[in-house]
Structures are given as structure tokens and as C-alpha cells.
Amino acid sequence: MASTEIPVANNIHSLTNGIENHIEFTSNLTSPEPQAEDTIITKYCLDCQISITETLFSQKHSSHHVKAVHRDTSVREQQFVLVDTISQIKRDTIPKLQNSIATLDEIRIDVDRGYQSVTDSITQKFDTLARLLEERRHAMLSEVTAITQNRQDRLSEQRDSAYNTLTIITNCCHTAINATFESEDDPNLLATIKWKRQSLNDLLAFPVQEAPEPPCAMLFDSSGMEEIQGLVKTFGCIQSAGASRLDVQIKGDGIKHFVLGRPAKFNITIKDRVLQIEKASLVVEVVDDGSTEKTIATVTELETGCYDIKYTLAKDCVHFVHVRIYGQSITNSPFRVDPKKEIEPEITFSRIPKKQSKPPGRNNKSPPKYVMTAKNTMIEDDLIMRVGIKGRNKGEFINPQGICCANGKILVADSNNQVVQVFNLDGECKLKFGSPGRVAGKIQRPTGVSVTNNGNFLIADYENRWISIFGPDGKYINKIGSRKLLGPKGVTVDKNGRIIVVDNKSSTICIFQNNGKLLAQFGTPGNRDNQFAGPHYVAVNSNNDIIITDFHNHKVKVYDSDGQFLHCFGSNGQGNGQFNAPTGVAVDSQDNILVADWGNSRIQVFDSQGSFLSYVNTSAELLYGPQGLAVITDGQIAVSDSGNHCFKIYRYLQ
């Protein structure tokens, strides 16, 4: 769809050139010399800035500031005033308008790109549906043809057999008649008749089926047609939002202060799911106060609509952080950031100090690799263990997501490393498996993990759009959900062994048998009780109720095992029981519900009905974008701290 061009560029060019010419002309003018007294021809009102006559002076301007002027002087002064005004317009107003026009042109280009992207997406999706329908039609017609041909072949064989039998019987009858009536002088006639009669009796006893098989009856079962028609009629919708009305939330210390020479970080969440901006359209610049030096911040897209921002400054002075989307500053931008003096705590790789409880493992003889604690801090929290640092080696992570604990093992989906790592309860990495790829047996973007009743590992692969099944040794077994899932995030196994998958991209919940058969699904995009807006993770309680974190709706929703809505809790905010995009969820043996509050970087604890109980104290070493949660034992919770590239174990309700 081509944009309608607005012919403003030439007009602006002509206008600015004209202004420059006038300014150049008037700049050559010199101040007028005082004229002789007899050249004074008028009075000039300084208040009204107009020339007046004697009559007007007496009628309207007698109380104003009026002076006698020379005509040439008056004209020349006003020319200079006019030139000053035009110069100010050229210096201030015109560049702003030109920048605005350039920004609007860029946005119009983005709109065209969006149009092309959406139309391509619509065409692709409907072409896919048409192809699937055509493939199904062809398969069913081929099946009907095969059944019919097989039946015809069998009927032909039976007809040929019946015809051959009829020919034999007819020939036998003719032979018997000829032998009986045409050979009456034969001395052996009686014996011949007896033999022929015996043969005919044998033929009478020959079984003959008038209809060997019932007629071929086929029926096309089109049950579900009305449901499919309803789905087709309501499939897809066009949602639109303007960049100028973008609902953006920005959070983190990096918009308040920074430490010299150390990375400062903050997070941007675009709550409006309709407007999917390109990463290149989000620009963050840090400007030194009092100069024009700029530092371009690094923008990392965590998931759709969520971005990590990082910058490092070398000058110890006030800076301003400018955040622009499509060239427009977001609300409250720029943000003032002040330098901050900070004494770093001594970091040691060791076990937690003795005053805190032991980690939940059984073997405490040797410290696990990459278990990190902080000393000399004035704040105590509920941290028991931290495992991992940023990296690509065994026991290291880049953006860990889902986590689960079963059979004495802790599984972590190491999303950006495209692997899954398995730890014992002491924090030692015992297994690392997976390699990137888009075929069965590969892992492209692991986001959720769980363990089946027989000990196999379930891996939710967001980009491959399926659930991979690996054995306890990390060897690939099978996959489920292919062509049924659009972007799975969380996965768990309920009390009956069913596999429950959160399809983040389609905002639905899918329930599978362990053999991969889809048993049920519920949920559609929206904000009602039975709808979701980017759901993330799932857990089940002792009643086999299904508990879902609804990311963009800022709620936790509870359903029975059949997917019927029971209740929900939470709202958008920072208070007790409020969420800013909840992610991980876990349930302990008392049916307490623990929720990772991603945007608020905290973990909240609720009872089974959703009443707020407490926070997990993470004051000493703050969480940064917590994702998956897993109960280790009652009173101990593991969390994937994605922004800090590790997982941590905390005590709670102690």
C-alpha cells in the first residue's frame, strides 16, 4: 500500500531560502541617522506599536506612551524587529517542525511496513488454512477412493468366482442330460446315471451366497462443522494502536542513578500488546548534562514488548536518559540520573554463613561450583543459595527461564544458551543437554521444564512450537504438540499424568495425554475470566486445579481440572497482592501459591484462595526479572533470576 506523499519538502526549502534572503538583506542595513526636525511627520504609540495621527492621539492614545518619531527611523526599527522575529523562527521553530515532519515521515514508513507485515501475515495464515483444508479434502477423497476400489476389487473377485461356479454347474447338467438320453443302448447306462446323479447331488450341496457381503455403505461424518464455521468466521482480528498513545512502563535503578564505570540497567515494558514495535524503533540515549556527548544504550529484547536497557558511563556528573519510540519521547523522558557512590560487598564463592540454614541438599561435604554469597552486607535476606553466573559453560546461564524440581533434581531452561541444565540439590550441575536447531531432537528456545511421572523431562520450546521429551540421560525421545501450539511457555504434569501446556502466543491452555493426544484446551485472547493476555507459567494444587499466571492482565487465575474458571486474584500495581506482569507460579504441600512478580522483581506468597500472606525477602541481593518458580521442599523456593543469569533458593514463611 503506497503512501500518499505530501509535497512539503519543496515548500519548506523555498520558505527557508526566502527567509535567509530577507535576513541577509536586512542585515546589511545600518541604523538610521537622526533626521532634521522638519522631517517628523507622525507620532508613534509604544504601547500599541502603531503610528497615530493627532486625532487618534486625542481620542484613544492620550494615556499611552507616545513619542514623536522620524518616518525613516520608525520603519527601520520595525524592520529590525521583524528580522529578529524571523531569525528566532528560523533558529527555533522551523528546525522543530522539520524534525517533526521527518519523524512523521519515518512513522508513515513504519505504518506502511506494518501494513505490509500484517497483510503478509493474514495471507500466510489463510493460505495455511486453505492448504490444510485442501490437504484434508484430498486425504479424505483419497480414502474414499481407496475404500471404494478395494470393495469393487473384492466384489469383482466374488462375481468371477460365482460365474465360474455357475459355468461348472451348467456344464455338468448338460453332460448328465446328454449321457442319459442320448446313450440309451449303453449297457453301463445305469451306472452312468447313478454317477451323474451323485455329482449333481454334490453340486446341490455346494454353498451359494446370494449376497456374500452387505452393500458398500459410506457416510461422511461432518460433526463439528458448525463449530469450525464459527471459528472461521471469528478467526483473527485486526487490532490497532497509535504510537502516541503507547502504554509504556519503565522500571529499574538505571533511571535514577548510576555507578561510575559499572553497567546501569533498567527495563521497559510496552503494555499495549497491539503495537508490536521493532527493536530498532526503540532508542535510548544518555546525555551528559552541560554538553552534547551521547552514550547509546544497549537494548536487549527479552520477549515481545519487554526490553532490557544497559549503559555504562565514564563521567562523574549528572546525566539525562532519553527514551524514544519512533522518534517520540515517552512520558517523563528524559530521566535525570545522578552518580552514586557504592561500596561493593566482598564476593566469595562459598557456602552461606553458618548463621543461616544449610542448603536443601543431602551431601554438604564440598561446595558446589558457582554458588555465590555476599559478605559485609548490612542487610540480611532469606537467600539460601545462588547458583550460576553469566556464561555459556556448564553451570552458567544466559537468561534462564523455566525451572522445576523433582526426584532430587533441579531442571533449568537456559533459554539463550539453548540448552537445559540439571542440578542436584547442592547446586552441582550434573547434566547439560540440547543443541540449537529447528528439527526434532533440537532445542531452539527453551522456556519451560517439567518432569513426567516416569521421570522423563518435558521441555517447552517456544520457537519450535512443541514440547520435547528427553530421557533422564538427556537423550531425545519424542515431541508432542507439533502443529497444535504457537508458542509454548510453561508446562507441568498434573496428578493424573496429563501434560498441561501454557501456549503463550495463542493465549490458550492445552491439555495432552502423555502420548501426545490433545484432550482439551481452553482460553482465548482477552481480559475476561476465561481469557488470557500472554499467559506464562502453570502449576497444579492438591485438588488438581490449574493455576495460570496471566502476564499482561496482571492476575493469577485458577481453573478446575476440566478448565472451568474458579476464581482469580491480583491487579496491576506495586502493593501487597498486586502484580506487574506475573510470571512463575508454584504450589507447596499446603496449597500456598507462590508467584514471581516479574515487573516488581519480587516473589509473593498467597494462600490457596489468593489472600496475600507475605513476600520472600530478597533485599540483600535483588531479583532482576524473576521467571520460573519451583518448590524445593516446604519452606524453600527456587527462582530463575533471568536478569542476573542464575537461579536462587530462598526460604519463605519462616
Side-chain angles (χ1 to χ4, degrees), residues 129-162:
L129 289 176
R131 177 178 55 80
L132 292 174
L133 286 173
E134 180 60 26
E135 289 176 356
R136 182 60 178 162
R137 183 182 74 89
H138 179 74
M140 298 191 74
L141 290 176
S142 298
E143 184 179 356
V144 170
T145 301
I147 292 173
T148 302
Q149 186 63 47
N150 182 56
R151 202 61 177 277
Q152 290 285 15
D153 291 343
R154 292 170 60 187
L155 290 173
S156 295
E157 291 175 1
Q158 293 173 3
R159 183 185 181 282
D160 292 344
S161 177

Side-chain angles (χ1 to χ4, degrees), residues 251-300:
K251 187 175 181 64
D253 292 338
I255 57 169
K256 300 175 183 176
H257 51 74
F258 67 93
V259 177
L260 197 65
R262 291 184 54 185
K265 298 186 291 186
F266 62 93
N267 178 268
I268 293 177
T269 302
I270 300 176
K271 295 184 178 181
D272 192 338
R273 297 182 300 112
V274 176
L275 187 61
Q276 304 297 337
I277 72 167
E278 296 181 1
K279 177 183 172 182
S281 300
L282 173 59
V283 177
V284 180
E285 297 176 336
V286 186
V287 181
D288 176 6
D289 185 25
S291 75
T292 58
E293 294 183 11
K294 293 182 180 179
T295 299
I296 305 299
T298 302
V299 178
T300 303

Side-chain angles (χ1 to χ4, degrees), residues 327-391:
Q328 295 184 350
S329 296
I330 68 171
T331 305
N332 298 326
S333 175
F335 301 89
R336 175 187 170 119
V337 290
D338 298 310
K340 176 184 177 182
K341 302 291 184 182
E342 182 172 344
I343 301 175
E344 298 186 19
E346 177 188 354
I347 301 296
T348 61
F349 289 86
S350 63
R351 186 63 68 179
I352 300 296
K354 293 182 179 180
K355 64 180 180 180
Q356 301 191 31
S357 64
K358 293 183 178 181
R362 295 183 294 272
N363 182 9
N364 296 319
K365 294 182 180 179
S366 60
K369 187 179 182 182
Y370 300 132
V371 175
M372 195 159 44
T373 62
K375 294 182 178 180
N376 300 332
T377 176
M378 300 302 294
I379 303 175
E380 295 185 7
D381 63 7
D382 292 329
L383 179 67
I384 296 174
M385 180 188 298
R386 166 180 172 158
V387 179
I389 58 176
K390 185 176 182 180

Side-chain angles (χ1 to χ4, degrees), residues 301-307 401 445 489 504 536 551 627:
E301 186 173 11
L302 300 179
E303 54 188 71
T304 303
C306 301
Y307 303 87
Q401 297 276 307
R445 186 180 172 188
K489 182 80 173 180
N504 169 272
H536 267 51
F551 187 82
Q627 288 280 348

